[in-house]
Amino acid sequence: ILYLLKNNSFNFKSHYPDRLVNSIYLDSPKLENYSDNQIGIANRKKYRIRWYGYDKSNIENPKLEKKIKIGWVGKKEIYDISSFKANPGGNFNNYFFNGLSNLPANIFFELKNLTPVLMNSYMRIYLISFCKRFRATIDTQQNFYSIKKSSNSVFKKVPHRDESIILEIKYDVDYDLIASQVTNSFPYSISKNSKYVNGINYIRKYL
C-alpha cells in the first residue's frame, strides 16, 4: 500500500511520524449510535476521546472529537479536555466526566446521556499528496478493549486483534471531482468501515 501511494501520480509522501492512536467511544446505554450506523442512518454524530501514545493509564492531552456525518460527507469538531487517569478505582464514569467540565455548556449537555462503552488503539501512518489536497492514513494493529467502569483495571482487552489494514483518503469536498484520480489508481474497491462498530461486534463475542 505504501508503494502504491508513493508511486501514485499524486506522489504521496510522509506527513507526520507514525504513532499509536487511542480512542474511547461514547454512546447511550442502549448503543443508539451503534444502531444508527448499523441500519444506515445517513445523518448522525459520534463522540470519542482521543489521545496518542502507549500509556493507557495516564491519559495526557486528550481531545474530545465530535464527528458529524451527513451522507458521505463528514466533519469534525475538536475540544480540549483535562488529562485524567484510566485506573482511578471507584466509579470510572464519575472520574471520566470530571475531565469534561471545561467544555462549552452545549457540548457538555449533549454528553450527559452518554457513557464510555469501548476503547480501541491502532498504529497510524500519515501521508500527504504532492499538491497538499489529499491526505492518506494507513491503520494497522487494531486492538479493542471493553470498559469496566467500576474496576481498578478499566480497559480489558478482548482476546483477538483485528489484522485488517485500513486505507483512508481524506480531502475537502471541493476536490471531490478529482478524488477519483487518486482512488482509481488502487486495485481496491471503496468500502464502508467503522472501527467503533467493529469494536462493539468484537466485544459482544467475548462478553
Side-chain angles (χ1 to χ4, degrees):
I1 293 174
L2 281 169
Y3 176 85
L4 291 171
L5 284 164
K6 292 179 177 181
N7 288 277
N8 184 282
S9 59
F10 284 81
N11 194 220
F12 283 84
K13 300 292 184 184
S14 179
H15 192 204
Y16 293 116
D18 303 355
R19 57 185 175 178
L20 191 73
V21 181
N22 308 290
S23 300
I24 295 173
Y25 290 91
L26 310 180
D27 205 340
S28 69
K30 294 184 178 180
L31 301 181
E32 293 174 49
N33 292 343
Y34 169 83
S35 298
D36 287 349
N37 188 298
Q38 288 289 80
I39 64 178
I41 300 295
N43 300 338
R44 58 186 187 271
K45 57 188 175 183
K46 177 171 60 183
Y47 285 99
R48 69 187 178 202
I49 308 297
R50 174 157 289 185
W51 74 101
Y52 302 95
Y54 289 90
D55 195 340
K56 296 179 178 60
S57 298
N58 300 299
I59 298 173
E60 300 288 341
N61 302 313
K63 309 288 184 183
L64 172 73
E65 296 185 349
K66 178 182 179 180
K67 295 191 70 176
I68 303 166
K69 195 74 175 288
I70 302 175
W72 282 91
V73 178
K75 67 176 183 178
K76 185 163 57 177
E77 299 174 4
I78 302 176
Y79 303 89
D80 291 322
I81 61 174
S82 302
S83 300
F84 62 95
K85 295 182 182 298
N87 297 322
N91 187 289
F92 176 62
N93 264 19
N94 292 340
Y95 194 93
F96 177 81
F97 279 102
N98 284 340
L100 308 181
S101 58
N102 61 339
L103 288 169
N106 64 310
I107 299 298
F108 190 80
F109 180 80
E110 290 184 30
L111 298 178
K112 72 173 186 175
N113 294 320
L114 303 181
T115 185
V117 296
L118 170 76
M119 185 262 185
N120 80 336
S121 67
Y122 52 89
M123 184 60 65
R124 171 162 282 184
I125 300 170
Y126 300 83
L127 301 103
I128 192 167
S129 64
F130 179 76
C131 64
K132 311 296 185 186
R133 295 175 178 176
F134 300 94
R135 293 174 293 116
T137 57
I138 304 171
D139 298 335
T140 62
Q141 304 174 37
Q142 294 184 74
N143 288 295
F144 299 103
Y145 303 78
S146 61
I147 295 179
K148 306 299 182 183
K149 304 183 187 73
S150 296
S151 168
N152 286 334
S153 182
V154 173
F155 301 136
K156 182 179 180 181
K157 185 177 177 181
V158 299
H160 178 81
R161 186 167 81 177
D162 187 342
E163 298 292 350
S164 302
I165 298 173
I166 300 173
L167 166 64
E168 292 184 76
I169 305 296
K170 306 174 184 185
Y171 54 90
D172 190 279
V173 68
D174 293 341
Y175 304 127
D176 193 43
L177 292 178
I178 61 172
S180 61
Q181 297 177 32
V182 180
T183 57
N184 287 346
S185 66
F186 301 121
Y188 314 116
S189 57
I190 296 174
S191 61
K192 179 181 175 181
N193 181 77
S194 167
K195 296 184 182 72
Y196 174 54
V197 169
N198 294 343
I200 292 296
N201 290 339
Y202 279 123
I203 283 176
R204 285 180 166 179
K205 290 180 185 178
Y206 296 105
L207 288 178

